[in-house]
């Protein structure tokens, strides 16, 4: 358990039932201060529902949440910059007027609008009405709105949605930048790569159930199995496979595109594999150790046929 | 409340539908009231037998004190425009999910309701002021100077207008919050105002019952009878105070239910 006072957000046993589906089932976790906390899950796993509940636009069926140790309320929300689901703005008002409304609700002066519009490169379009914006521009305006008043906590729901590759890189840089300033960032995403690249912590949701949560390295590490992946290749792949199967400590071999992936104990080193193959007259054309990435972990964790951890 | 209204004003002041419909209400009401008064006074200035008979039947709708009733009644005719505008302003928030954003940005759920009530108040005060000033001016123009007594006699109808506007706006508020879709809310609102309310009233009243006058919209409608309908054709026997009481009870009920509903729903 992390120190209670350090948690920016505490989610306790939250369950959300919709008429036909249980969108969240007894979900609990804590978001430590200063972390970039990724909520990862496929579409429909309950990410947005969870964020909706902690922002009071949805009501939990059971459970509660605390912001900085206090039951959530309007005052708390003013200090959190949030982008939930889609950019929601008055379509007939300009970017600037829309941000004036957001600033007025949050209780901040208008002075900050120029700064946040410049961060997302929309300052030149500040007088254009929201309805004329492209999806990417709408998304950027929504991100600008979250930055109003320079809040210490930010909540982003699929922040790179609708952005082109350059825009995606830009937003990731922005998130890294914000994190370096010591801000706490809570980010929902279905893009594994995105979470792995920017997050320090991750919670994995599947069908409303929290599968695991912790630091990214904790989640990546598979403590019970101490497993790693070594990739090898040789001219005669069948012969190689036959040989490797006899090695002690090899759990599983899978192969694609002329490369064998050996799931094996951490004791097995690339050198030992190389030496044993060489002694059997098999010359390796490829040898590499692959760190398990979040994608493999995610697929393992969300594989329903397999018990988790 | 003032702080909330300032934010609402930022939302609506440059909204085309707001300018068009609010302006439309002002212009249509003023034009209709003024031209009707002008035409009526021109036609009934004659001394023919029919005119005298008619005049005795309906009285003088544009002369003090009856001009207050006429102003209030005419205001009611056009007030449906404001009801529709109010629905658009609320349902748009749902349609574009800006109601969620307002709350995410730091409004309490009740702040949203209070903000909309501040707009309701704005419509209530501006339209009542308009009806009051119009009644006063037309009365001053057409009342023979020798007959100018206490000009504010009968101005209770202005307060009745205000009560009517309140109930119509609360019904609009309620419809928009429940239905959440702009187009459908308007259709349902018009259905309530023009069809359901009238059918229920007619079926009850034709049976000889007075209950029809206590329907939510009918209670306030009946407070301001049509100034051109001769008194002998009026079927209402229940006193004004009972209708006022009904309207107040309805208003409280609407507000209470709205508040309770909005506190617990998923937005």
């Amino acid at each position: 358990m992390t120190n209670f006072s350090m948690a920016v957000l505490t989610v306790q046993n939250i369950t959300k039932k919709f008429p036909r589906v249980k969108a969240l089932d007894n979900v609990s976790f804590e978001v430590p201060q200063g972390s970039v906390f990724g909520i990862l899950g496929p579409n429909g796993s309950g990410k947005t529902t969870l964020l909706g509940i902690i922002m009071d636009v949805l009501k939990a069926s059971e459970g509660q949440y605390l912001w900085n140790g206090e039951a959530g309320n309007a005052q708390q929300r003013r200090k959190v910059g949030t982008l939930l689901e889609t950019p929601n703005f008055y379509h007939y008002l300009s970017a600037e007027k829309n941000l004036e409304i957001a600033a007025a609700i949050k209780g901040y002066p208008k002075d900050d609008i120029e700064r946040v519009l410049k961060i997302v490169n929309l300052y030149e379009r500040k007088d254009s009405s929201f309805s004329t914006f492209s999806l990417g521009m709408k998304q950027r305006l929504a991100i600008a709105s979250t930055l109003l008043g320079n809040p210490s906590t930010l909540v982003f729901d699929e922040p790179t949605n609708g952005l082109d590759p350059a825009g995606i890189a830009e937003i990731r840089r922005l998130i890294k930048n914000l994190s370096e300033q010591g801000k706490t960032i809570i980010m929902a995403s279905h893009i594994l790569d995105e979470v792995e690249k920017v997050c320090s912590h991750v919670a994995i949701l599947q069908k409303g159930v929290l599968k695991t949560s912790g630091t990214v390295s904790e989640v990546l590490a598979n403590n019970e199995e101490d497993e790693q992946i070594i990739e090898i290749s040789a001219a005669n792949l069948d012969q190689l496979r036959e040989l490797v199967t006899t090695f002690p400590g090899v759990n599983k071999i899978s192969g694609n595109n002329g490369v064998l992936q050996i799931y094996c104990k951490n004791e097995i080193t690339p050198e030992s594999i190389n030496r044993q193959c060489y002694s059997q007259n098999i010359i390796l054309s490829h040898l590499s150790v692959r760190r398990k990435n979040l994608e493999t972990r995610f697929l393992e964790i969300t594989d329903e046929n397999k018990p988790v951890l | 409340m003032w702080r909330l209204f300032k934010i609402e004003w930022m939302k609506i002041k440059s909204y085309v539908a707001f300018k068009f419909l609010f302006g439309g209400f002002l212009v249509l009401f003023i034009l209709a009231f003024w031209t009707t008064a002008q035409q009526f006074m021109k036609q009934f200035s004659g001394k023919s037998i029919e005119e005298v008979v008619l005049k005795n039947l309906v009285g003088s709708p544009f002369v003090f004190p009856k001009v207050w009733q006429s102003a209030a009644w005419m205001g009611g005719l056009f007030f449906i425009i404001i009801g529709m505008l109010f629905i658009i302003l609320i349902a748009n928030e749902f349609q574009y999910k800006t109601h969620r954003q307002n709350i995410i940005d730091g409004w309490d759920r009740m702040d949203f309701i209070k903000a909309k009530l501040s707009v309701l108040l704005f419509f209530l005060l501006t339209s009542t002021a308009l009806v009051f000033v119009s009644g006063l001016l037309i009365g001053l123009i057409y009342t023979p100077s020798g007959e100018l007594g206490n000009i504010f006699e009968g101005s209770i109808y202005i307060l009745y207008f205000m009560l009517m506007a309140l109930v119509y706006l609360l019904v609009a508020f309620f419809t928009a919050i429940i239905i959440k879709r702009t187009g459908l809310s308007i259709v349902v609102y018009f259905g309530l105002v023009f069809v359901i309310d009238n059918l229920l009233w007619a079926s009850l009243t034709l049976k000889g019952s007075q209950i029809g006058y206590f329907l939510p919209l009918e209670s306030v409608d009946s407070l301001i009878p049509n100034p051109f309908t001769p008194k002998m054709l009026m079927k209402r026997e229940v006193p004004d105070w009972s209708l006022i009481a009904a309207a107040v009870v309805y208003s409280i009920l609407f507000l209470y239910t709205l508040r309770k509903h909005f506190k617990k729903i998923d937005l």
Side-chain angles (χ1 to χ4, degrees):
Chain A
M1 218 50 186
T2 47
N3 187 343
F4 196 71
S5 64
M6 291 296 284
V8 169
L9 171 69
T10 311
V11 172
Q12 293 173 336
N13 310 105
I14 285 193
T15 294
K16 174 68 183 173
K17 293 174 196 144
F18 286 118
R20 276 183 204 169
V21 66
K22 210 177 203 180
L24 291 171
D25 190 358
N26 202 22
V27 172
S28 303
F29 62 85
E30 284 189 351
V31 176
Q33 193 167 15
S35 62
V36 181
F37 196 99
I39 299 173
L40 185 59
N43 294 327
S45 57
K47 302 183 297 286
T48 300
T49 304
L50 181 64
L51 296 183
I53 287 171
I54 62 172
M55 284 295 140
D56 197 35
V57 296
L58 299 176
K59 291 287 182 190
S61 311
E62 283 158 44
Q64 58 166 344
Y65 59 93
L66 308 169
W67 282 104
N68 299 307
E70 246 182 72
N73 58 49
Q75 285 300 325
Q76 295 259 18
R77 287 197 295 279
R78 286 177 196 180
K79 295 178 214 144
V80 179
T82 304
L83 159 60
L84 185 66
E85 207 170 9
T86 47
N88 305 321
F89 291 103
Y90 298 92
H91 60 294
Y92 52 89
L93 292 179
S94 69
E96 190 177 27
K97 295 274 177 229
N98 267 301
L99 292 191
E100 279 177 18
I101 290 174
I105 290 175
K106 286 170 185 273
Y108 296 123
K110 288 190 215 170
D111 319 0
D112 206 24
I113 292 172
E114 184 178 333
R115 179 185 73 92
V116 299
L117 280 175
K118 280 181 174 161
I119 291 177
V120 299
N121 293 328
L122 276 181
Y123 188 67
E124 291 70 33
R125 295 294 301 270
K126 71 185 166 74
D127 297 320
S128 310
S129 81
F130 180 69
S131 56
T132 65
F133 279 12
S134 70
L135 186 57
M137 289 164 78
K138 288 176 177 172
Q139 189 76 2
R140 293 217 299 267
L141 182 62
I143 289 169
S145 182
T146 67
L147 301 175
L148 282 171
N150 202 15
S152 59
T153 308
L154 293 134
V155 176
F156 294 129
D157 187 6
E158 309 278 1
T160 55
N161 214 3
L163 298 178
D164 56 26
I168 291 173
E170 226 171 85
I171 294 307
R172 284 185 188 161
R173 253 201 315 278
L174 174 68
I175 291 175
K176 280 219 159 120
N177 202 333
L178 291 167
S179 165
E180 277 158 17
Q181 295 168 32
K183 296 181 190 305
T184 307
I185 296 160
I186 301 167
M187 185 177 109
S189 179
H190 66 273
I191 306 167
L192 293 143
D193 180 51
E194 181 165 281
V195 171
E196 197 172 11
K197 275 190 178 137
V198 299
C199 293
S200 61
H201 291 66
V202 64
I204 296 183
L205 267 182
Q206 187 191 24
K207 293 187 179 166
V209 177
L210 185 71
K211 291 291 193 177
T212 178
S213 74
T215 64
V216 170
S217 49
E218 271 167 20
V219 171
L220 283 178
N222 194 341
N223 296 328
E224 278 181 27
E225 291 173 35
D226 284 330
E227 206 179 50
Q228 63 173 344
I229 303 170
I230 295 178
E231 289 185 338
I232 53 175
S233 183
N236 190 337
L237 219 55
D238 293 335
Q239 198 187 358
L240 181 63
R241 186 192 291 266
E242 217 165 278
L243 174 67
V244 174
T245 323
T246 64
F247 292 177
V250 170
N251 299 326
K252 190 176 117 190
I253 300 168
S254 69
N256 55 32
N257 299 333
V259 177
L260 296 183
Q261 282 154 354
I262 308 171
Y263 291 73
C264 59
K265 292 258 165 71
N266 282 337
E267 301 95 79
I268 296 183
T269 60
E271 289 95 330
S272 67
I273 291 183
N274 198 6
R275 194 176 307 119
Q276 288 185 67
C277 290
Y278 190 74
S279 68
Q280 299 293 318
N281 287 325
I282 298 175
I283 309 298
L284 294 179
S285 59
H286 173 93
L287 172 66
S288 68
V289 180
R290 222 180 75 197
R291 194 173 79 94
K292 255 192 188 173
N293 65 8
L294 204 50
E295 184 174 347
T296 41
R297 250 337 252 149
F298 179 76
L299 293 174
E300 277 171 25
I301 289 168
T302 55
D303 180 356
E304 281 166 353
N305 303 319
K306 207 179 152 187
V308 173
L309 296 178
Chain B
M1 198 86 161
W2 177 242
R3 198 180 54 79
L4 294 174
F5 180 71
K6 279 203 290 192
I7 294 174
E8 288 298 306
W9 188 246
M10 290 163 83
K11 295 179 189 173
I12 62 180
K13 70 178 174 198
S14 45
Y15 185 39
V16 178
F18 169 71
K19 289 186 207 168
F20 188 75
L21 290 173
F22 190 63
F25 169 72
L26 297 183
V27 171
L28 282 176
F29 169 73
I30 292 169
L31 270 181
F33 191 43
W34 194 57
T35 49
T36 317
Q38 217 179 16
Q39 291 302 317
F40 189 91
M41 295 312 280
K42 205 189 277 172
Q43 300 221 324
F44 286 77
S45 57
K47 296 278 181 273
S48 74
I49 302 288
E50 300 97 313
E51 282 170 7
V52 172
V53 170
L54 245 172
K55 201 168 179 180
N56 284 337
L57 278 174
V58 301
S60 317
F62 300 98
V63 169
F64 289 124
K66 207 181 175 183
V67 66
W68 295 119
Q69 182 193 340
S70 307
W73 184 79
M74 277 229 151
L77 278 189
F78 293 101
F79 197 74
I80 188 82
I81 299 175
I82 300 291
M84 186 169 88
L85 171 58
F86 195 44
I87 283 191
I88 293 173
L89 294 180
I90 296 163
N92 269 355
E93 301 259 14
F94 289 98
Q95 198 122 329
Y96 297 103
K97 291 188 176 171
T98 40
H99 68 305
R100 293 179 111 189
Q101 197 61 42
N102 290 166
I103 284 158
I104 287 167
D105 284 340
W107 265 0
D108 187 83
R109 285 179 176 223
M110 282 310 108
D111 286 338
F112 183 82
I113 297 292
K114 285 184 208 156
K116 293 302 171 211
L117 285 177
S118 77
V119 177
L120 183 148
L121 210 60
F122 166 78
F123 287 142
L124 205 58
L125 295 177
T126 48
S127 59
T128 304
L130 175 73
V131 168
F132 174 78
V133 171
S134 307
L136 185 65
L137 288 179
I138 294 289
L140 286 174
I141 291 170
Y142 291 113
T143 308
S145 49
E147 294 169 26
L148 275 173
N150 175 13
I151 56 170
F152 294 111
E153 188 197 332
S155 60
I156 185 82
Y157 279 107
I158 300 301
L159 289 181
Y160 289 176
F161 170 84
M162 208 166 168
L163 191 62
M164 182 224 62
L166 174 70
V167 171
Y168 270 74
L169 288 174
L170 284 176
V171 170
F173 198 169
F174 207 76
T175 312
I177 291 267
I178 300 286
I179 294 178
K180 296 181 177 175
R181 300 254 143 233
T182 313
L184 188 60
S185 303
I186 293 174
V187 171
V188 169
Y189 186 60
F190 276 41
L192 283 173
V193 170
F194 292 121
V195 184
I196 296 175
D197 179 73
N198 288 336
L199 281 181
L200 277 176
W201 176 81
S203 64
L204 286 167
T205 309
L206 288 177
K207 280 187 197 152
S209 164
Q210 289 280 308
I211 296 287
Y213 292 105
F214 291 101
L215 291 167
L217 294 171
E218 206 55 47
S219 67
V220 281
D221 283 345
S222 307
L223 273 176
I224 311 166
N226 186 333
F228 305 104
T229 306
K231 257 221 149 60
M232 61 188 75
L233 294 180
M234 307 266 184
K235 293 199 176 75
R236 174 158 78 90
E237 290 154 18
V238 291
D240 283 4
W241 68 263
S242 65
L243 296 179
I244 296 170
V248 170
V249 168
Y250 281 127
S251 301
I252 293 168
L253 266 179
F254 281 137
L255 275 173
Y256 175 78
T257 323
L258 251 176
R259 189 186 131 92
K260 220 177 150 191
H261 172 76
F262 201 73
K263 268 199 160 163
K264 65 169 207 279
I265 53 165
D266 287 337
L267 298 176

